[in-house]
Amino acid sequence: MPACQNLDSSTKGTRLTVCFDARALMYISRSSANRSGITLSAYQVLLALSKICEVRLFCELEFYTLCKRECAKLESLKGFSFVNRFSLVERALSYLCYQKYSICHYLRERNHPILDRAMRAVFLPFIILARYHKLGSSTLESMQSCDILFSPYYAFAKEIAALECVRFTLLHDVIPIVYEEHFRMSDIPIDKLLRQVLRQVLRQRHDFYDIADSLNVKDFYITNSAFTKADFLKHFPTRLCESHISVALLGADREIFYRDFDERKNAQIRERYHIPHNARYIFSLCSLDPRKNLIFVARNFIECIKKHNINDLVLVLGGGAWESFIGELESSFDSLGEWRSKIIRAGYVEDRHLANLFSHSLASVYLSTYEGFGLPVLESMSCGCPTIASSTTSVPEVLGSGGIALDPNDALGLQEAIYKIYSDESYARELSQRALTQASKFSWEGCAREIYNAFSHALGKWDSALGEQCGSVANFVKGTTTKVANLPQSLQSFHSPTAIPRILEEESRASSRAAQSGVAIHSLESSFAKLDSRARAVDSMDCHADKSAHNDKNNAICKKVDSRENAENVENSTQDSRIFDNKAQKVSESQAAAVEMRNRGFQGVGEGIYLGDNEQAHAVESTIYRSKPAIAVQGVAAAGFFRNATPPSPKPTPKTKEAQSLKHLHRIFFGFNGERDIYTRYLETWQQQLPDFEIRSYNASNLPLDLNPYTKALSELKDGVFLGDYYRWWLIYHYGGVYLDADIEVISGEKFRAIISELESSAYEMIIGIEDRVNGGYTSHAMAGKKGAKLAKFMCEIYENLGKLYLARKELLISPKLAQLYFLDQGEFVETKGFCGDISEPIIKCGVKIYPKDYFSPLSVGLAPVLEDLSPNTTLAHHCAGSWLESGSRFDKHKQAFKQYQPLLSDYVARSKSPRFILKTLPKRLFIKLCFPHGSRRRAWAKSLAQRLISFGLR
C-alpha cells in the first residue's frame, strides 16, 4: 500500500490534504555529495507526514520529470501522485531539462568540465523556456483544493504565491547572510553587469535569496530549531510575523543510524575508506567547507596526539568538499608534515556504512561555527558515539546533555576532551549512554506531529485523532515546543552566530541544584512554556492588528521572569566551576551570570564545557587558554564585574606567585554586531610558541563598560577597536602582564620569553617597541608591563579625560602616537615630539624599555603590509588587519582581503623569495636603491611624505 494511504482508521475522514513541493527530492536516489542534508530532511518529513496526512506532490516544469523519476526509483515514494497537469509539449520540454541534468551530473562525476559546459550550452534554450513557463490553471486549481501548500526548502513560484490558500515553508538557516564572504561574487563592474543580465534571462541565483525575497507576514513558516526562528526574526524583523513561525526539531533515520558493532563489516569499511586496521579513529561527518572548522579540528587533534604521545589514533573526515575550499584545506594538512598521515579524507560516505563507522569510532567531533540545526550531531548520538560538538548557534538544542559542548575556538578544551575519551574507557561508555538517551528525544514522527499541529493551528482546527488536547493556543504552543523546552535554549535571546540564550528562572534553579551534586541538569520546560504561552495568548491570526501589543507583553513577561529571583540565582550559580571532572559535568558560570547580564544590558555569550583534572573558574567568555593542565587558572576579576549592580573599583590581585608573574597574555575582541573572530590563526601561534603563558580573553561580557565617559560612549557606539585602545592600558595598569593585538603572530617564543623574564627581574616597568621609525609611533599593539606601571596609568588618564574629543578618535586618538605624549610629558625626546627616533638597539627611558622596529613590527603599514624589517631579533609580527579602517577608503581592499585570508609572516617571506615577486619588484627596488638608499635623508623624507599621504587617506 502506498505510504500516502497508510493511515490509521481513526485518522481517516479528518486528515489534512497537503500539497508538498517535490523539488527538494530531485537527487534523493543518488548516493553522492549532491544529496544534501536538506534533501534528506525533506524526504523524511514527507514520509512522516504521509502517515498522518494525505500528501500530494507538485513541481515546476523544469524539474517535473527529474523529480518524478527520482521518486519512482525509491519504493517508499512510488505511491505519491503529482497534482501537475501538463500537455504533451510541456512534458517534452520537461524531459529535455531532465536530460540536461542527468547528462551534466554524469559528466561532473567523471570530471569532464569542458563537456559539462558544452552540454549546458546545448540545453540552455530549453532551460530558459522552462523557467519562463507558468503553471497552468488546472494545476493551480488542484493545488488550491488542498488544505496546505508546503515547501520543505524552496520559495514558491509567483503564481503559487498569488493563490488564496495557506502556505508553509520550512526555513533552515541564514548562512548566506552570516557568512556573506563565502557567497560574495566579483565586484568588477563587467562581472556585475553580466550577473544581472544572466539573472534576468536565466532567473537563477542562490536559493536562499529567493527565499528571503519571498518572506512575508501573511504566510506561515516552520523552523528546524528555536535558534533558526530567532535568527530569521533578527534578520527579517519587518517581513515575518512571530506568531506565524513554529518550531519543529528534526530527527534521525533509525534505519540508517543505530548501534552496529559488526567487526567483519567494519574491516571491510576500513578497507573501503583507507582507515588503518590497527588504529582507533575519531570520525567527523560534514561537508568540507570553512564553516565546519575542520582546519582547527585537525591541528588540535595533531597537537593532542603529539602532546600525549598517542600513535594509534587517526582523524577521519567524511563528506563532500567545496571546490573553492579544498585547496586551502589540503594545504593546511600538508603543513603538518609527517603528521599528515594521521588525517584521512574518506570522501562521501554511503548511508549503509555510517552506523558502523559511528559505532566503532572513539568519538565524533563537530565543532561547526554556525548551524541551523546540526543533523550530524544527532546522527552521531543515535549510534551511541561519544560526541564533541559546538556550544554555539543551534547545536546545544540538539546536543543537550548528550555530549561535550565546546566553543569552536577552544583549542585546549578540544585536546583535553579527546584525551579524556581516549584514556578513560568508563567515561567514554558513559558519554555513549548519554548520547543514546539524548538522541531518543528526537524522531521524524515527532517532527511531523509538530508540523501537523502548525498546519492545524493555521487552519483554525484541531485533530483529535492525534490525541492532542489543544483547546487553546497556549496548549498548542506547549505541545509544539516540548523538545525545545527540554533544552538549555530560549527563543527570546539568541545572538548569532556565537551567543547563548537567556537563562530563565527554572533553569537557574536547576543549575544551582546540579552544581551541588556535580551533575548538569537542564530543565527549561516549565519556564519556557509559561513564557511562550503568555506571549502567544495575546496573538491572533491577524498579525498586523496586534503586533505592538504582543511585543509589549513579551517584553514585560521577559523582564518579570528574568528578575524575579535574580539575586538568589546569581548567588547560588556563580559558585559553579566550568569543569568536567570525575565524570561529572558542572554548570558553566556563564549560565549564572547570564541572568544578571540581561538585566544590565549585556549581550549573551558562548557557552562551553572545559575538561581537565583541575577546576577552572571563569567569568562569562573569559576563556583561559592553558597548556599545562596542572596549573590552576584565575578568573579576570569576573565576580566583581557581575555580582554588583555597578562595576566596583579594580582591586589588586592576590599576592601569590601566579599573580606576580607577567606570563599572562591579554587578548581583547569585542565582536560587536555579530563580528566574527577571524584571528584564531594567530592565537594558535601564541599557544604553540608560548605554552607556559596564560591567555586571557576579554569582551563586553567581562569588562566594565561604564568605567568612564569614554568607555560608556564607545560601548554605546559599539566601537570595539577604539574601546580596546583604552582597555589594553587599563589591563596592564591593574593586572600587569602582556598585551597583544589579536592580529599579532608570535614568531619566536623563546626570544619573547627572555624579554619578559628580563622585565620581571629589572627595575624598569614596561616594554614597548617602535611601529614607524620615520614618523614616530610606538607599538601599542604589543607591550608588557608591571601592575601599576606609570606609562599605563598616564595613558588611562588621557582617555578618561578626553570628554567629547572621542568624536575625533580616528583622526587624533591614534594609540601609537598618543604614547609619545608620555615621554614628552617627562621631558624626553622633546625635539621629536616624544618619539625616540630610529634606534638600532633597545634603550631605557622613563621606566620604559623601547625596542627597535624589527623586534615587534617587521611589517610596515601601507596599502598592503610590506615586509621591510625582518631580522634575527624579530619575535612578534603585527599583521596590520586594519579593523578600524573606514569602508570605502583606499585601504578597504586590504581590509576585505584580510577577512578572506589571514597570512603568516612565512607567507610574506615565501612571496618575497618567489621569482615572480622578484621580477615584479625589480624596477621598484632598483629605483629605491639608486634614488633613496637605506639610511639616507632622501629616503627618510620620502617615507615621511608617504606616511602623510597614508594618514590623509585614512582620514
Side-chain angles (χ1 to χ4, degrees):
M1 182 180 290
C4 58
Q5 298 178 5
N6 186 17
L7 300 165
D8 188 271
S9 59
S10 63
T11 65
K12 292 183 179 180
T14 61
R15 63 182 184 268
L16 299 178
T17 305
V18 178
C19 197
F20 191 98
D21 188 347
R23 282 179 291 171
L25 306 173
M26 65 178 70
Y27 294 118
I28 188 61
S29 69
R30 299 179 182 179
S31 295
S32 68
N34 292 82
R35 190 180 60 175
S36 65
I38 290 174
T39 300
L40 292 172
S41 299
Y43 171 69
Q44 293 294 342
V45 168
L46 173 60
L47 294 184
L49 274 178
S50 68
K51 297 176 182 178
I52 54 178
C53 303
E54 182 178 344
V55 181
R56 302 167 187 171
L57 304 180
F58 76 91
C59 195
E60 294 180 3
L61 179 64
E62 180 183 354
F63 306 105
Y64 172 71
T65 303
L66 175 61
C67 291
K68 196 167 185 179
R69 295 202 175 204
E70 286 289 305
C71 291
K73 293 176 183 178
L74 298 179
E75 192 66 30
S76 57
L77 298 181
K78 284 184 178 179
F80 291 93
S81 61
F82 283 77
V83 301
N84 298 80
R85 301 291 181 266
F86 290 130
S87 66
L88 253 190
V89 175
E90 290 171 330
R91 288 175 183 269
L93 182 58
S94 179
Y95 178 78
L96 289 171
C97 294
Y98 161 73
Q99 290 296 332
K100 178 261 183 184
Y101 285 109
S102 298
I103 294 172
C104 291
H105 175 75
Y106 175 87
L107 294 172
R108 281 197 304 273
E109 287 205 328
R110 283 152 183 79
N111 197 23
H112 297 301
I114 297 178
L115 287 176
D116 177 30
R117 292 192 184 95
M119 295 310 298
R120 287 170 183 263
V122 169
F123 285 99
L124 182 61
F126 306 112
I127 297 296
I128 293 175
L129 286 174
R131 289 183 183 171
Y132 276 84
H133 175 273
K134 294 185 178 181
L135 294 174
S137 58
S138 58
T139 299
L140 294 176
E141 288 174 5
S142 298
M143 295 176 66
Q144 197 162 14
S145 66
C146 297
D147 296 311
I148 299 287
L149 299 184
F150 178 66
S151 171
Y153 177 60
Y154 293 97
F156 289 106
K158 290 183 178 180
E159 56 268 29
I160 299 175
L163 295 176
E164 290 296 328
C165 56
V166 179
R167 286 178 294 273
F168 272 84
T169 303
L170 180 57
L171 305 176
H172 293 268
D173 53 58
V174 294
I175 291 174
I177 294 179
V178 178
Y179 288 91
E180 183 183 2
E181 64 271 17
H182 297 154
F183 297 85
R184 186 183 291 121
M185 300 295 184
S186 169
D187 290 330
I188 300 174
I190 187 62
D191 290 345
K192 286 184 177 181
L193 178 62
L194 287 173
R195 278 204 307 275
Q196 291 297 327
V197 172
L198 290 174
R199 280 179 185 172
Q200 294 298 322
V201 174
L202 295 178
R203 296 188 172 185
Q204 183 179 20
R205 57 178 176 168
H206 193 278
D207 302 320
F208 174 82
Y209 300 109
D210 290 329
I211 296 170
D213 287 346
S214 70
L215 297 176
N216 62 86
V217 295
K218 181 181 178 182
D219 285 352
F220 294 83
Y221 301 93
I222 295 170
T223 61
N224 54 8
S225 67
F227 169 79
T228 299
K229 173 178 178 177
D231 230 11
F232 268 94
L233 287 171
K234 172 186 174 182
H235 290 287
F236 304 99
T238 62
R239 302 176 65 180
L240 291 171
C241 178
E242 184 177 357
S243 63
H244 283 204
I245 307 176
S246 303
V247 176
L249 299 178
L250 307 182
D253 189 348
R254 305 303 177 189
E255 295 183 1
I256 297 177
F257 300 99
Y258 56 92
R259 305 204 80 178
D260 181 4
F261 293 107
D262 189 333
E263 296 293 343
R264 181 179 300 178
K265 183 178 179 181
N266 185 253
Q268 296 173 351
I269 291 174
R270 284 174 178 264
E271 189 73 27
R272 166 78 177 272
Y273 297 108
H274 310 292
I275 304 172
H277 290 274
N278 59 346
R280 304 169 75 181
Y281 62 89
I282 290 176
F283 187 40
S284 180
L285 178 67
C286 60
S287 59
L288 308 187
D289 66 71
R291 177 171 53 93
K292 304 302 183 181
N293 208 18
L294 293 173
I295 295 177
F296 175 84
V297 170
R299 286 177 179 171
N300 284 282
F301 168 77
I302 296 300
E303 286 298 318
C304 177
I305 62 177
K306 287 166 64 177
K307 181 192 302 182
H308 299 287
N309 196 25
I310 300 173
N311 298 317
D312 62 340
L313 189 62
V314 297
L315 175 64
V316 178
L317 305 178
W322 282 20
E323 292 182 6
S324 58
F325 178 64
I326 195 62
E328 180 183 348
L329 185 67
E330 286 295 336
S331 297
S332 68
F333 291 168
D334 292 339
S335 67
L336 298 174
E338 60 179 342
W339 298 96
R340 173 66 177 84
S341 60
K342 296 293 184 179
I343 312 294
I344 297 172
R345 275 191 58 210
Y348 179 80
V349 180
E350 295 185 25
D351 289 348
R352 57 195 178 96
H353 296 150
L354 289 172
N356 194 278
L357 273 174
F358 273 124
S359 299
H360 284 84
S361 174
L362 175 70
S364 168
V365 178
Y366 195 78
L367 288 186
S368 174
T369 56
Y370 184 96
E371 290 297 322
F373 180 76
L375 264 178
V377 176
L378 179 57
E379 293 165 350
S380 168
M381 293 192 298
S382 299
C383 300
C385 180
T387 304
I388 304 169
S390 300
S391 62
T392 60
T393 62
S394 66
V395 179
E397 293 182 61
V398 183
L399 185 67
S401 59
I404 300 172
L406 293 174
D407 187 279
N409 296 317
D410 185 2
L412 182 62
L414 176 57
Q415 294 173 28
E416 290 184 347
I418 293 173
Y419 182 67
K420 181 76 172 176
I421 297 172
Y422 175 84
S423 60
D424 191 340
E425 291 186 5
S426 60
Y427 173 61
R429 286 195 297 271
E430 181 186 335
L431 276 182
S432 177
Q433 188 56 47
R434 283 166 47 191
L436 290 170
T437 302
Q438 177 68 13
S440 65
K441 300 176 183 178
F442 299 82
S443 68
W444 287 112
E445 290 74 18
C447 177
R449 282 196 297 271
E450 291 173 358
I451 293 175
Y452 182 89
N453 286 341
F455 291 168
S456 302
H457 177 58
L459 293 170
K461 60 183 179 181
W462 310 97
D463 195 336
S464 60
L466 292 175
E468 299 289 345
Q469 301 300 323
C470 299
S472 67
V473 175
N475 287 336
F476 162 72
V477 173
K478 183 176 180 179
T480 56
T481 57
T482 300
K483 288 181 181 176
V484 181
N486 287 332
L487 299 170
Q489 300 288 343
S490 167
L491 291 177
Q492 302 303 320
S493 53
F494 284 97
H495 295 272
S496 171
T498 58
I500 185 172
R502 186 197 315 267
I503 307 300
L504 297 181
E505 175 184 8
E506 275 74 9
E507 186 182 9
S508 292
R509 290 177 177 175
S511 299
S512 298
R513 291 194 297 269
Q516 296 171 8
S517 61
V519 180
I521 303 173
H522 298 285
S523 177
L524 195 55
E525 180 173 1
S526 58
S527 59
F528 182 91
K530 183 185 297 182
L531 173 64
D532 222 8
S533 62
R534 290 183 188 180
R536 296 289 184 111
V538 298
D539 280 343
S540 69
M541 295 301 292
D542 185 0
C543 183
H544 295 288
D546 59 1
K547 190 166 185 178
S548 176
H550 166 72
N551 290 338
D552 294 341
K553 182 89 171 181
N554 244 350
N555 293 337
I557 294 170
C558 289
K559 291 178 180 178
K560 184 176 181 180
V561 174
D562 272 348
S563 60
R564 191 178 348 184
E565 292 186 23
N566 181 42
E568 176 188 350
N569 293 338
V570 173
E571 181 180 358
N572 292 334
S573 298
T574 50
Q575 299 171 3
D576 299 341
S577 297
R578 302 174 70 187
I579 66 168
F580 209 102
D581 192 18
N582 296 326
K583 309 174 187 177
Q585 174 181 352
K586 292 188 179 180
V587 178
S588 163
E589 189 177 14
S590 64
Q591 295 182 340
V595 179
E596 185 160 347
M597 282 199 306
R598 285 293 175 191
N599 292 338
R600 292 184 56 199
F602 284 102
Q603 180 176 343
V605 293
E607 174 186 12
I609 296 172
Y610 288 77
L611 308 178
D613 294 331
N614 59 295
E615 294 193 356
Q616 304 177 29
H618 296 274
V620 180
E621 209 183 26
S622 175
T623 307
I624 308 297
Y625 295 89
R626 299 168 299 112
S627 294
K628 293 186 177 181
I631 300 177
V633 180
Q634 300 297 327
V636 192
F641 295 162
F642 295 115
R643 293 176 185 165
N644 301 298
T646 56
S649 300
K651 296 180 180 180
T653 55
K655 293 184 178 181
T656 64
K657 184 177 181 180
E658 181 75 13
Q660 293 297 327
S661 172
L662 299 182
K663 291 185 177 179
H664 42 267
L665 305 171
H666 300 296
R667 183 179 189 267
I668 301 175
F669 181 82
F670 285 99
F672 288 134
N673 301 316
E675 181 186 0
R676 292 190 304 114
D677 188 349
I678 61 175
Y679 309 104
T680 54
R681 192 178 189 190
Y682 304 124
L683 180 60
E684 292 173 14
T685 67
W686 301 12
Q687 298 167 335
Q688 294 165 4
Q689 294 288 339
L690 301 170
D692 52 338
F693 279 62
E694 175 186 333
I695 302 177
R696 300 177 179 178
S697 292
Y698 303 85
N699 53 39
S701 68
N702 57 5
L703 285 172
L705 299 183
D706 50 356
L707 275 180
N708 51 63
Y710 180 86
T711 59
K712 289 179 182 178
L714 267 69
S715 60
E716 291 177 2
L717 294 172
K718 294 187 176 181
D719 189 340
V721 176
F722 284 87
L723 196 59
D725 281 356
Y726 168 80
Y727 280 112
R728 65 188 66 189
W729 299 105
W730 187 86
L731 290 169
I732 293 291
Y733 177 68
H734 289 289
Y735 303 105
V738 182
Y739 171 81
L740 299 180
D741 268 2
D743 57 350
I744 291 286
E745 176 188 359
V746 179
I747 305 301
S748 174
E750 182 180 357
K751 296 174 183 175
F752 189 74
R753 190 178 295 106
I755 291 173
I756 299 302
S757 297
E758 181 185 333
L759 172 61
E760 289 175 341
S761 60
S762 300
Y764 56 86
E765 299 176 326
M766 283 196 68
I767 63 168
I768 203 166
I770 292 176
E771 187 173 55
D772 187 338
R773 63 161 59 92
V774 177
N775 294 288
Y778 296 101
T779 57
S780 62
H781 59 253
M783 55 189 177
K786 300 173 183 177
K787 186 175 65 175
K790 293 177 183 177
L791 171 58
K793 180 182 179 182
F794 178 89
M795 294 300 295
C796 287
E797 290 174 348
I798 285 181
Y799 285 96
E800 290 163 1
N801 295 283
L802 281 173
K804 294 293 184 179
L805 287 179
Y806 75 85
L807 295 171
R809 58 193 180 279
K810 295 188 178 181
E811 292 81 15
L812 301 178
L813 308 184
I814 309 301
S815 190
K817 288 285 189 181
L818 285 181
Q820 296 180 197
L821 298 178
Y822 171 74
F823 297 99
L824 196 61
D825 184 64
Q826 298 291 324
E828 296 289 344
F829 314 127
V830 176
E831 294 182 359
T832 52
K833 300 177 182 178
F835 179 57
C836 65
D838 185 11
I839 57 177
S840 58
E841 294 293 334
I843 61 173
I844 299 175
K845 289 290 183 180
C846 308
V848 180
K849 188 169 184 177
I850 308 171
Y851 285 83
K853 185 176 184 295
D854 57 339
Y855 277 75
F856 306 146
S857 301
L859 294 167
S860 297
V861 180
L863 289 178
V866 180
L867 182 60
E868 286 189 335
D869 300 284
L870 183 63
S871 77
N873 296 322
T874 301
T875 59
L876 306 175
H878 181 217
H879 282 274
C880 314
S883 56
W884 63 286
L885 297 173
E886 296 284 357
S887 298
S889 71
R890 296 175 59 207
F891 305 89
D892 189 50
K893 184 177 181 181
H894 164 64
K895 180 180 176 180
Q896 298 303 327
F898 195 92
K899 289 182 179 180
Q900 300 296 324
Y901 179 74
Q902 299 78 45
L904 297 176
L905 192 65
S906 57
D907 297 324
Y908 288 98
V909 174
R911 188 180 67 171
S912 65
K913 294 181 179 179
S914 66
R916 180 181 178 184
F917 181 85
I918 292 172
L919 290 173
K920 183 178 178 180
T921 59
L922 182 61
K924 176 183 175 181
R925 288 186 289 110
L926 287 174
F927 174 75
I928 291 175
K929 189 170 184 178
L930 293 173
C931 300
F932 304 98
H934 186 76
S936 66
R937 296 182 64 181
R938 292 195 305 273
R939 181 181 178 90
W941 173 83
K943 292 202 71 171
S944 176
L945 178 61
Q947 188 65 34
R948 291 174 184 273
L949 292 174
I950 289 173
S951 299
F952 178 78
L954 294 177
R955 289 196 294 272

